[in-house]
Amino acid sequence: MKYRELTREEQTTVKRAFDRWGIFEFLSDKNLVVSEGDQKKICLLSPALASLLPKFSPEYAGLVIGDLKKGFTPSMPGADLFARHAKKNQYYISVNDNAEQLVLYGRDVMGDSISLASDTLDENELVIILNRKQEAIGIGRTRFAGKSIFQKGRITITTLADAGLYLRNEG
Amino acid sequence: MKTILPSATEESRQLAVRYGYDEWLVSRFLQYVPRVQEFLEKMDKEPTQYIRVNTLKTSAEELRERLAAKGFVLGQTNLPEVLSVSAAPMSVGATSEYLLGHYYVQDVSSCIAVDALDANPDQTVLDIAAAPGGKTTMIAQRMKNTGCIVALEPNARRARSMSFNLARCGVSNTCVLLDDGHKVAKLGMKFDRVLLDAPCSCEGVIARDATRKTSHEPSDVEFCSNLQETLIEAAASVVRPGGVLVYSTCSFAPEENEAVVQSLLQRQAGFSIEPIKCGVSGLTSFQNIDFGSAMKNTRRLYPHLHDSTGFFIAKLRLG
């Protein structure tokens, strides 16, 4: 795998995304690189690993915190990191215990299982799905805007990725 | 090293039949496993399961509380981050805490090997034959995700699987190279800590895989021993002065353990064996081979004595 520093344009895209997710301050002084395989991925590295990277051609390096296509999309390890360190904003929604189990099996989120969400959310927004303990369990996309996100008996958030996905892929 | 085969005795024949082993294996166990019958009984029982708390994401106290609320009964071990599982209402791999990377299912013996490595923040560590990453992720948490771990794994599929475990545990100080442990010199650097958990004949995990009672041959021990001698020599060549090399296997065979350590000490000056807290002393002799008194500092873990998988650990310091 080839690893390289972010271009100026990529830095702008990533920093804008970090700002959106409320994680800009935490990640501003961290070492990030791009891995170029089938997809461009943003990897977080310890400083010592970052300094060693040019010596090797590792297959994997650091923690992949997201993908870079047109914009930056967090990965599950990225969402986990964000949930731990970000100033949480409207892009983080919480679900109840029952929904947590369903999300971890890749199921979508019903409106009545959302325990906390901002009514300023728009339709088609990317959100990080948190459990009751405010831990990232999934990444989703809103199907409705505002208070409609809480509507009963309907799926209001599509689950795009979840913490159980890697295990299902492995199987 | 050629596999030593003691003569069969009436006792070895009887025990082999009773417990379903090849006789040559039991006749060897009688030479180096204490209280053999207890050992053979224990190998027929379900082994104790252990989980290692991922302190990069949670604390032992918090995890205990969360899993206890789900009906798990956990016990303490010699290592603060390792818990034994005495009752589980579901598979330990099926909880949300597992999926979120709050713990790793790992035998206590593997954790003792990492503990012996004594990896600290900001160090540079080499982990040879690293997949699936249990020890690597524990090293990372001991280093608090600082410094750098270079993990070698020659098998691409296993390396990919390892990458999932590293990601689940939130490890950001590790790179995985698709490489064989024999080629460490080409990395062109020295390491503060080197872990070689060598490929072995796996005598210590018979409780998890009963087919091993009859599926391996004396030649397998010899094959592994020869491989281990070349691997430990390569590993030792990249240890920084003052640095530590931990050599471990999940085998009891002296040819794969004490003999391998002895071969290194004879070929490379400057290494000494440091003591390790857990387990019982390594062998100072086997049949007519003398390993020297310093070999007492190596450690053997036996399932019936230590409630772990069988393991051998040697901690070697350079200079």
Side-chain angles (χ1 to χ4, degrees):
Chain A
M1 193 78 70
K2 188 183 168 192
Y3 292 86
R4 61 165 175 80
E5 290 184 359
L6 280 71
T7 63
R8 188 167 290 182
E9 191 182 345
E10 287 165 346
Q11 281 182 29
T12 305
T13 306
V14 167
K15 283 180 178 171
R16 200 171 287 155
F18 288 172
D19 195 38
R20 178 190 192 270
W21 293 106
I23 193 76
F24 183 85
E25 269 182 42
F26 176 76
L27 285 173
S28 61
D29 61 345
K30 302 290 189 290
N31 295 90
L32 299 173
V33 294
V34 178
S35 79
E36 288 189 305
D38 298 340
Q39 291 173 306
K40 276 192 210 171
K41 292 178 178 173
I42 302 295
C43 306
L44 172 69
L45 312 174
S46 64
L49 179 57
S51 67
L52 275 179
L53 212 54
K55 282 177 70 108
F56 308 129
S57 298
E59 193 69 7
Y60 305 98
L63 192 66
V64 176
I65 61 166
D67 296 337
L68 204 56
K69 289 178 191 165
K70 285 179 185 170
F72 172 89
T73 307
S75 62
M76 269 318 298
D80 175 72
L81 192 81
F82 294 4
R84 284 167 189 279
H85 300 287
K87 289 175 185 159
K88 294 195 187 73
N89 53 30
Q90 70 268 34
Y91 301 115
Y92 294 80
I93 66 120
S94 303
V95 298
N96 63 26
D97 290 348
N98 186 41
E100 175 182 1
Q101 295 308 312
L102 295 171
V103 169
L104 289 172
Y105 281 95
R107 303 277 292 275
D108 296 329
V109 179
M110 304 291 282
D112 38 350
S113 63
I114 297 172
S115 52
L116 189 68
S118 167
D119 57 13
T120 62
L121 271 172
D122 281 334
E123 188 185 332
N124 211 28
E125 291 275 21
L126 209 56
V127 291
I128 289 177
I129 306 167
L130 308 173
N131 63 9
R132 196 162 48 89
K133 293 183 183 293
Q134 301 297 288
E135 295 157 335
I137 56 169
I139 297 165
R141 194 174 285 285
T142 58
R143 290 191 184 185
F144 297 93
K147 288 181 179 163
S148 301
I149 205 145
F150 294 103
Q151 61 188 300
K152 291 183 179 176
R154 294 193 74 166
I155 290 168
T156 60
I157 293 173
T158 307
T159 301
L160 304 174
D162 66 87
L165 184 63
Y166 85 96
L167 206 60
R168 297 197 298 277
N169 283 348
E170 275 285 87
Chain B
M1 182 182 182
K2 205 159 177 60
T3 310
I4 294 168
L5 294 172
S7 306
T9 61
E10 192 50 38
E11 186 184 15
S12 66
R13 283 191 202 100
Q14 282 182 6
L15 289 172
V17 170
R18 183 168 170 190
Y19 292 99
Y21 285 77
D22 281 345
E23 192 280 327
W24 70 273
L25 204 50
V26 176
S27 68
R28 282 172 53 84
F29 288 160
L30 283 164
Q31 304 299 313
Y32 52 73
V33 177
R35 294 158 33 194
V36 170
Q37 194 156 347
E38 273 179 50
F39 163 74
L40 296 172
E41 290 281 349
K42 176 73 175 174
M43 292 306 241
D44 280 348
K45 291 178 182 153
E46 189 72 24
T48 300
Q49 197 160 38
Y50 295 91
I51 59 173
R52 189 247 309 156
V53 182
N54 179 10
T55 54
L56 292 176
K57 291 199 172 185
T58 189
S59 65
E61 195 181 14
E62 190 186 341
L63 183 66
R64 281 184 89 130
E65 271 178 29
R66 286 177 68 158
L67 292 182
K70 292 182 174 177
F72 285 84
V73 179
L74 304 170
Q76 195 54 60
T77 67
N78 288 335
L79 299 176
E81 69 267 65
V82 182
L83 305 171
S84 60
V85 182
S86 46
M90 63 188 93
S91 160
V92 287
T95 68
S96 49
E97 286 78 9
Y98 176 79
L99 295 175
L100 296 174
H102 291 191
Y103 63 88
Y104 198 101
V105 182
Q106 187 172 26
D107 193 80
V108 66
S109 54
S110 297
C111 299
I112 291 169
V114 174
D115 186 61
L117 190 68
D118 189 27
N120 292 298
D122 297 319
Q123 289 184 326
T124 307
V125 178
L126 175 66
D127 185 0
I128 299 171
K135 294 185 190 69
T136 319
T137 51
M138 183 173 175
I139 297 167
Q141 74 183 52
R142 287 289 180 98
M143 295 170 73
K144 300 183 176 8
N145 239 347
T146 66
C148 172
I149 303 172
V150 177
L152 301 185
E153 173 52 50
N155 182 310
R157 197 169 158 203
R158 283 170 60 81
R160 181 171 180 270
S161 187
M162 180 176 178
S163 75
F164 290 132
N165 282 325
L166 293 170
R168 182 173 66 87
C169 293
V171 172
S172 61
N173 69 343
T174 300
C175 63
V176 182
L177 275 63
L178 279 184
D179 232 332
D180 184 286
H182 291 102
K183 297 174 185 166
V184 289
K186 80 171 187 187
L187 297 174
M189 62 182 288
K190 301 278 185 185
F191 295 86
D192 299 303
R193 300 287 184 266
V194 176
L195 175 64
L196 170 58
D197 183 39
C200 68
S201 64
C202 303
E203 287 178 1
V205 295
I206 289 171
R208 295 188 198 284
D209 179 9
T211 63
R212 292 184 183 277
K213 290 179 176 182
T214 55
S215 67
H216 76 291
E217 301 288 330
S219 59
D220 297 329
V221 175
E222 184 178 341
F223 173 81
C224 289
S225 174
N226 293 338
L227 177 68
Q228 290 151 354
E229 283 189 15
T230 54
L231 277 173
I232 199 172
E233 197 169 354
S237 72
V238 292
V239 178
R240 184 171 288 161
V244 170
L245 163 64
V246 166
Y247 172 80
S248 64
T249 72
C250 58
S251 170
F252 304 114
E255 296 90 335
E256 299 184 61
N257 297 322
E258 288 87 350
V260 173
V261 173
Q262 188 186 39
S263 78
L264 174 72
L265 298 179
Q266 287 170 345
R267 277 180 286 178
Q268 289 199 28
F271 280 97
S272 57
I273 309 173
E274 293 201 337
I276 298 166
K277 283 178 199 158
C278 307
V280 297
S281 296
L283 306 178
T284 53
S285 65
F286 176 54
Q287 298 285 292
N288 59 350
I289 306 167
D290 181 18
F291 297 127
S293 60
M295 206 60 74
K296 275 186 182 167
N297 282 342
T298 64
R299 281 292 177 271
R300 291 177 155 253
L301 295 162
Y302 291 107
H304 59 307
L305 302 182
H306 306 106
D307 201 16
S308 66
T309 54
F311 227 69
F312 172 86
I313 308 170
K315 179 179 183 180
L316 302 149
R317 192 177 290 274
L318 178 61

